[in-house]
Amino acid sequence: MTTPNTTSVTGRCGEDIAVRYLRDNGFLICDRNWRSGRYEIDIVAYKSGVTHIVEVKTRRAGALRSPESAITPSKCAAMRRAAEAYIAQKALRGEVEFDLVAVDMFPDGGCDVRYITNVVELGW
């Protein structure tokens, strides 16, 4: 038996925190860890007529880079491609927004959660 990778455990924990945060703030969670081929979306949520494609980035306290720094141009392009595949598969209509939930996790079990809207320009 292998020991779980601490990075993947941290990531899963961050996604659980993000889902809780979104639900607590009135979002309906439509999908979690949606995959189709090489495309992946962490969370798809819905609120007030808008579908939110949500990327979750989690870092342990003291990490050299913030969760927000992971939203690079190539990550934005990947998010757009994944969203296009999701929208086509689900035949969605209406407004779409790309958001980020950034989670910093502390050794004492606490965390800091930041919800950042419109982290990716639609460009389609």
Side-chain angles (χ1 to χ4, degrees):
M1 184 183 331
T2 60
T3 305
N5 177 319
T6 57
T7 301
S8 66
V9 169
T10 300
R12 265 193 311 277
C13 186
E15 286 184 6
D16 290 342
I17 290 165
V19 165
R20 208 169 324 127
Y21 175 89
L22 292 167
R23 283 187 177 140
D24 288 350
N25 285 279
F27 289 84
L28 171 67
I29 304 302
C30 303
D31 273 301
R32 185 170 175 189
N33 296 311
W34 175 86
R35 291 186 186 280
S36 179
R38 66 179 184 260
Y39 302 118
E40 185 261 335
I41 299 173
D42 293 336
I43 300 170
V44 179
Y46 186 81
K47 182 178 179 181
S48 303
V50 178
T51 299
H52 297 263
I53 307 297
V54 182
E55 180 71 13
V56 180
K57 291 296 180 188
T58 307
R59 299 289 186 264
R60 285 179 241 129
L64 296 176
R65 295 179 53 191
S66 71
E68 293 88 343
S69 69
I71 304 300
T72 62
S74 62
K75 181 61 181 173
C76 291
M79 288 175 70
R80 273 191 224 98
R81 287 189 302 271
E84 288 170 353
Y86 183 86
I87 289 164
Q89 184 184 81
K90 304 289 183 175
L92 292 180
R93 300 279 184 258
E95 190 176 339
V96 176
E97 186 174 290
F98 294 90
D99 303 331
L100 170 69
V101 175
V103 181
D104 289 309
M105 301 191 63
F106 302 107
D108 66 359
C111 64
D112 180 42
V113 179
R114 293 175 304 287
Y115 177 68
I116 302 149
T117 60
N118 294 310
V119 295
V120 176
E121 293 295 322
L122 288 179
W124 57 36

